[in-house]
Amino acid sequence: MEQKEGHIVHPLIKEFAIKARDYQIDIARTAQIRSTLVVLPTGLGKTIIALFLMAERLMDPRSSVLMMAPTKPLVEQHRSFLSEMLPGLTICMLTGEVPPERRKEEYMTNRIVVTTPQVVKNDLISGEFDISSFSTLVVDEAHRAVGDYPYPFIAGAFYGKHPDGLLLGLTASPGHDPSRIHEVCRNLGIENIEVRVDSDPDVRPYVQDMDVTTVKVEVSQGMRTVIQMLERMFLERISKLQRMGVLRKGSVTSVKELIGAAHRIQEMIVKAPKEGGAYYQAMSVQAQAMKVAHALELAETQGTEALYQYMDRLLKESSAPSCSKATRSVVSDQAFGMVLNKVGALRGEPHPKLEAVVRFIRQQLREDPASRIIAFTHYRDTATMVLSKLKPFEGMGIRAVRFVGQATRDDDTGLSQKEQKAVLDRFREGDANVLIATSVAEEGLDIPGADLVIFYEPVPSEIRTIQRRGRTGRHSAGKVIVLVSKETRDIAYSFSARDKEARMERQLLSLRRMLSRMPLPTRERKSPSPLLDQRNPTTLDSFSLPEPAPIAQGGLEITVDHREMSSTVVEELIRSGVKIRPAQLDIGDYLLSDRVIVERKTVQDLSDSLIDGRLFEQLSRAREGFERPLMIVEGDDLFNRRNIARSALMGALASITVDFNVPVIMTRDPTETAGLLQAILRRSGPTKGPRRGRGRSKGGSMMDQQLGVLSSLPGISNVTAKKLLFRFGSLRRVLAASEEELLQIDGIGKVKARELSSLLDSDIGPTDEAQIDGPSEKSTVEKL
């Protein structure tokens, strides 16, 4: 990487487009040797480092680069930047809207592809994508590479094909927890961490001064009274949970501890189902405490209007048939009505934070009318209130817009990606000068640097705090104002974020020192996560794990409905060495053999499909189409569904097992489900492909149709059907065979022969006529 007149000079990079910064060049040079995680404060050019690495790697005509970012707007942002900076190269952007067949072609024909990790994971699983064609991976917002997020899965696939491949991870804030930082590094195969903090000598000249001011506001006496009433409601429920033995006595209970209590209660229900009644009551009390805790947070940090809107929603929800017991209990509490009346009387009283936001925005624009301002709020309702409060000042130079996510919540319609882009364009071009944003604006998006950033409330997450603050001070000195309500949880959140941020910096610097003392790893490294089996160079045939033992030659194969392809179950199957064949199955989710089809339901899916009647229709078709239909129910909390009675759920399971003759098997999680599917697969024989359903074949040869008829008989597999047809020569002769003749067929014993003869010879009785069609899904639903 050369320099000329203070700018970067490279054959592939646009001339005089990027000013040279030594730390960016140094980091990019290191990243060419080892897979590297780059941790840089927002605004210091992480994407430029990725550009340098990509340009160097692409000097080799055999090299190609895959860049991933979590969202479509961020992918579009990277595509636009790379297209401008690499004018001689085509930058291909792929999203889920591009058909799979075309994506497959684009992967093969482009040297730079920018896409989302969700698209890459789906294409890897379906076999549409050969990741071996890429020698370099760039992972934006790399702190997401934990848990079930697609990044670890993709990194495992990449290293499986390229043990010497390079991966560059980019993040502004990997978190304060050392175990999380190590998990990110392990999942991405990181061999080196390049950390820069504001005080480092090589970045200090480029760091703009930032004035961070905490402004404390007084909560009105009326709201203090409301807070005290809500605290009493909260403590009543906490005391109940303590008496039940779910929470410790004598300690202050946080929301985090309440969430942990819910997990403990669920475990108790599983371990002691006979005592379930008491535990279900504890679960309801815990849910009540969570709702009151949320109301308390709104009262302390957001104000009367946000609190009133929330309580009014609870009141309306309580009259709905599907309302939870917890909501009804909270709303029926006399104290709830008293709080709602008090809040209603205070609605005209603006929260001092709201007045402070307006005051600071007006002050900033008076001092500098060309300023851009971002106000962050945790809740949409608050964003709406701030926007409404600024409306009267539109003629005084304030042009405010609201920027929220895509999801629609209650009556609040979200913004589509197109609408989000339009809002950001207005802010970027100066048509709007105040952006009122929720958390959707915190991460990654190319939002122009603001002169002032306002936190309506502090957030306890150091990652979100850094990302919010990083929206200012990019090109000139920045200013941040954090609004804090006195004597509320705002104080604790503010201290928590600062403490976590300091710990994160210490952990990263410690990790950097540790890695600097380690020798350079050899290029014959292994993937840190499950590797791709090398036996098939173009598809994800299998992964190898330390456990269990390797799959026998030939492996296992499961046909999976395309709607299940993004599930963790499929991921676990691939890790275990199972080949996945995607298909559009008319029946079931997992086709294990010509005899066995599996319908998978989470506990929530099960209750939902029982209520809308889908389940019985699905099982009827599975029973008609396959000899051994099975249903797997995944999850621990089956009988604690708020939208369906326990007795109805038990009746449904009884009907599924007895009336429909479909076994129901419980698993705890996707890992257990994947293990069970493999165990069933080993016993059920090979899969010949998706079936249309027994006795319904409209195509295929005459022999295929004859086999379909025979294999519809109880106990007759496809293999046995072939033996019968070859032995007797025609379908008519098979059906006319005696019990003694059937015994001559390998695989048919005395019991099976007797059952078949009885089945074929028995006359239908008058009492059977009403049962010819079996249980109808409609009648079963009505009974339940």
Side-chain angles (χ1 to χ4, degrees):
M1 199 74 65
E2 298 179 2
Q3 301 183 36
K4 182 179 179 181
E5 299 178 12
H7 288 78
I8 292 296
V9 177
H10 190 280
L12 298 180
I13 297 177
K14 183 180 179 181
E15 191 173 6
F16 295 109
I18 298 176
K19 291 183 178 181
R21 294 185 180 183
D22 289 341
Y23 70 90
Q24 292 175 334
I25 297 171
D26 292 342
I27 293 173
R29 188 176 293 122
T30 301
Q32 292 175 47
I33 304 170
R34 300 186 283 184
S35 288
T36 299
L37 177 67
V38 177
V39 183
L40 272 181
T42 301
L44 286 180
K46 293 182 291 294
T47 310
I48 291 175
I49 294 171
L51 171 69
F52 291 170
L53 175 65
M54 295 164 84
E56 284 295 305
R57 296 287 281 179
L58 291 169
M59 290 299 290
D60 181 346
R62 299 167 299 177
S63 183
S64 55
V65 180
L66 176 66
M67 184 176 192
M68 294 175 291
T71 64
K72 183 180 175 183
L74 194 49
V75 167
E76 169 59 36
Q77 172 184 313
H78 287 316
R79 185 206 63 77
S80 177
F81 172 76
L82 293 174
S83 296
E84 181 183 356
M85 293 298 126
L86 299 170
L89 296 171
T90 299
I91 313 300
C92 174
M93 171 177 156
L94 295 180
T95 67
E97 297 170 359
V98 178
E101 299 78 13
R102 186 182 152 202
R103 292 203 302 266
K104 184 176 183 179
E105 181 182 343
E106 298 286 3
Y107 286 130
M108 296 171 62
T109 56
N110 286 282
R111 297 186 66 200
I112 304 177
V113 173
V114 188
T115 183
T116 63
Q118 292 83 2
V119 167
V120 174
K121 178 184 174 183
N122 291 342
D123 288 343
L124 283 170
I125 289 174
S126 67
E128 296 290 340
F129 176 33
D130 176 11
I131 202 168
S132 66
S133 59
F134 292 90
S135 57
T136 305
L137 247 62
V138 178
V139 175
D140 197 14
E141 307 297 348
H143 57 271
R144 290 180 175 236
V146 294
D148 293 333
Y149 199 73
Y151 280 154
F153 179 80
I154 296 166
F158 174 67
Y159 287 121
K161 296 295 185 181
H162 286 290
D164 59 346
L166 277 180
L167 186 148
L168 177 66
L170 308 172
T171 182
S173 44
H176 76 284
D177 185 350
S179 63
R180 181 188 175 98
I181 297 172
H182 280 84
E183 184 181 359
V184 169
C185 294
R186 184 175 63 252
N187 287 342
L188 295 180
I190 297 300
E191 302 160 315
N192 176 59
I193 296 182
E194 290 291 336
V195 182
R196 297 294 189 276
V197 295
D198 292 346
S199 57
D200 281 336
D202 55 352
V203 303
R204 187 71 193 95
Y206 306 102
V207 175
Q208 301 295 335
D209 291 332
M210 188 176 299
D211 177 19
V212 180
T213 304
T214 298
V215 176
K216 295 181 180 180
V217 300
E218 290 282 358
V219 177
S220 70
Q221 188 56 48
M223 279 304 290
R224 288 283 176 205
T225 302
V226 168
I227 290 170
Q228 290 169 2
M229 295 166 71
L230 287 170
E231 283 176 340
R232 285 194 292 271
M233 289 181 66
F234 182 71
L235 290 174
E236 284 176 10
R237 286 153 179 84
I238 295 302
S239 297
K240 283 184 181 179
L241 291 173
Q242 289 173 340
R243 290 194 298 271
M244 292 174 174
V246 174
L247 291 174
R248 291 175 300 172
K249 294 183 179 180
S251 62
V252 178
T253 301
S254 66
V255 171
K256 184 177 180 180
E257 288 171 312
L258 269 178
I259 294 171
H263 294 312
R264 288 194 296 276
I265 295 169
Q266 290 171 353
E267 290 173 0
M268 292 173 184
I269 292 173
V270 173
K271 292 177 182 177
K274 292 183 179 179
E275 301 176 24
Y279 294 138
Y280 288 127
Q281 184 182 357
M283 183 67 79
S284 178
V285 175
Q286 185 272 347
Q288 293 174 45
M290 289 292 293
K291 294 178 187 300
V292 177
H294 182 62
L296 192 51
E297 180 175 359
L298 293 177
E300 290 183 346
T301 69
Q302 305 299 308
T304 54
E305 187 61 30
L307 176 60
Y308 183 84
Q309 294 292 340
Y310 173 65
M311 296 185 73
D312 188 54
R313 281 197 293 268
L314 287 182
L315 186 62
K316 292 175 181 175
E317 183 184 327
S318 67
S319 60
S322 59
C323 176
S324 69
K325 181 180 177 182
T327 299
R328 285 202 176 97
S329 296
V330 170
V331 171
S332 63
D333 189 331
Q334 186 178 4
F336 178 90
M338 295 171 63
V339 172
L340 185 58
N341 289 336
K342 181 71 174 176
V343 174
L346 295 172
R347 284 184 75 185
E349 175 186 287
H351 194 282
K353 283 186 180 181
L354 203 55
E355 295 179 326
V357 169
V358 175
R359 183 172 70 253
F360 287 124
I361 289 174
R362 294 186 66 191
Q363 179 180 322
Q364 177 68 30
L365 290 174
R366 274 198 304 268
E367 294 173 0
D368 181 5
S371 294
R372 285 187 175 85
I373 301 166
I374 300 177
F376 281 106
T377 71
H378 188 60
Y379 298 103
R380 282 190 183 185
D381 286 348
T382 306
T384 302
M385 284 190 299
V386 173
L387 182 66
S388 176
K389 193 73 175 175
L390 291 172
K391 281 288 183 185
F393 302 99
E394 284 183 346
M396 304 178 192
I398 294 179
R399 301 180 300 279
V401 288
R402 193 181 79 137
F403 187 69
V404 299
Q406 297 177 45
T408 295
R409 297 169 184 169
D410 298 316
D411 297 329
D412 189 345
T413 304
L415 297 179
S416 67
Q417 289 183 341
K418 185 177 180 180
E419 289 170 329
Q420 287 178 339
K421 184 177 183 301
V423 169
L424 292 183
D425 286 345
R426 286 186 62 194
F427 188 64
R428 186 179 295 109
E429 294 162 6
D431 181 43
N433 56 7
V434 179
L435 189 73
I436 306 162
T438 56
S439 59
V440 70
E442 292 172 354
E443 184 179 79
L445 291 177
D446 183 21
I447 298 176
D451 302 283
L452 170 65
V453 168
I454 300 174
F455 288 32
Y456 192 87
E457 66 283 290
V459 286
S461 164
E462 77 285 7
I463 293 176
R464 293 182 59 198
T465 298
I466 291 169
Q467 288 170 334
R468 281 187 176 191
R469 197 174 58 224
R471 294 303 172 188
T472 188
R474 293 193 169 199
H475 307 296
S476 59
K479 185 160 55 175
V480 177
I481 294 175
V482 183
L483 302 178
V484 174
S485 297
K486 290 182 180 179
E487 299 178 29
T488 66
R489 68 191 65 207
D490 273 355
I491 303 294
Y493 285 172
S494 180
F495 280 113
S496 176
R498 272 182 279 176
D499 178 62
K500 289 176 181 177
E501 188 176 346
R503 276 191 284 160
M504 181 184 75
E505 185 173 319
R506 289 195 299 270
Q507 289 294 337
L508 287 170
L509 293 175
S510 173
L511 202 54
R512 180 171 70 179
R513 288 192 296 270
M514 180 186 73
L515 287 171
S516 67
R517 296 191 294 268
M518 294 172 61
L520 186 70
T522 62
R523 299 311 296 161
E524 293 298 317
R525 66 178 183 267
K526 296 295 183 182
S527 166
S529 51
L531 301 184
L532 281 171
D533 191 338
Q534 298 298 301
R535 288 173 295 181
N536 188 324
T538 58
T539 60
L540 281 174
D541 280 339
S542 60
F543 280 78
S544 59
L545 286 169
E547 299 176 6
I551 301 297
Q553 184 65 31
L556 300 174
E557 181 177 318
I558 294 179
T559 301
V560 181
D561 184 68
H562 67 93
R563 288 162 294 191
E564 278 283 308
M565 290 300 293
S566 60
S567 73
T568 307
V569 174
V570 172
E571 206 172 306
E572 293 291 336
L573 288 169
I574 292 176
R575 286 196 176 111
S576 299
V578 178
K579 183 175 180 180
I580 300 299
R581 180 195 292 175
Q584 185 167 348
L585 298 179
D586 294 329
I587 300 172
D589 298 315
Y590 296 87
L591 178 64
L592 304 190
S593 74
D594 291 337
R595 301 168 59 229
V596 181
I597 190 75
V598 175
E599 181 77 31
R600 170 184 171 254
K601 299 285 186 188
T602 65
V603 289
Q604 185 61 51
D605 291 338
L606 178 64
S607 60
D608 290 344
S609 59
L610 281 170
I611 290 171
D612 62 26
R614 285 182 293 118
L615 180 63
F616 296 109
E617 189 272 334
Q618 292 168 345
L619 294 179
S620 292
R621 294 171 59 210
R623 187 190 58 186
E624 293 172 8
F626 291 86
E627 182 183 334
R628 289 287 183 268
L630 304 172
M631 186 168 76
I632 294 177
V633 179
E634 187 181 290
D636 286 333
D637 200 17
L638 176 60
F639 293 106
N640 190 33
R641 302 287 96 197
R642 74 177 190 177
N643 56 349
I644 185 169
R646 181 185 177 94
S647 58
L649 191 53
M650 287 186 168
L653 292 175
S655 175
I656 292 167
T657 306
V658 177
D659 298 335
F660 287 82
N661 197 27
V662 175
V664 179
I665 306 174
M666 300 294 302
T667 61
R668 286 180 298 182
D669 52 42
T671 302
E672 276 196 4
T673 301
L676 178 62
L677 289 172
Q678 292 173 73
I680 297 170
L681 183 60
R682 288 187 176 96
R683 294 192 60 86
S684 61
T687 303
K688 301 299 182 183
R691 296 174 58 100
R692 293 171 179 263
R694 300 180 184 276
R696 293 187 175 187
S697 178
K698 297 181 181 179
S701 66
M702 178 65 72
M703 181 178 174
D704 288 336
Q705 296 182 54
Q706 291 171 327
L707 290 174
V709 173
L710 286 176
S711 59
S712 69
L713 296 172
I716 302 299
S717 67
N718 202 45
V719 174
T720 305
K722 287 181 179 179
K723 292 178 181 178
L724 285 166
L725 196 58
F726 289 140
R727 168 67 177 82
F728 293 102
S730 73
L731 186 58
R732 187 182 297 278
R733 292 193 190 98
V734 174
L735 298 177
S738 65
E739 187 174 327
E740 291 74 18
E741 290 173 317
L742 291 174
L743 282 170
Q744 297 175 23
I745 303 300
D746 184 29
I748 297 183
K750 290 183 178 180
V751 174
K752 188 177 290 185
R754 189 179 306 116
E755 289 175 350
L756 282 172
S757 295
S758 175
L759 176 69
L760 296 172
D761 293 339
S762 298
D763 294 329
I764 185 171
T767 58
D768 298 322
E769 292 180 2
Q771 301 178 16
I772 285 177
D773 293 327
S776 72
E777 53 268 21
K778 181 179 179 181
S779 64
T780 305
V781 172
E782 288 173 348
K783 289 177 184 176
L784 295 174

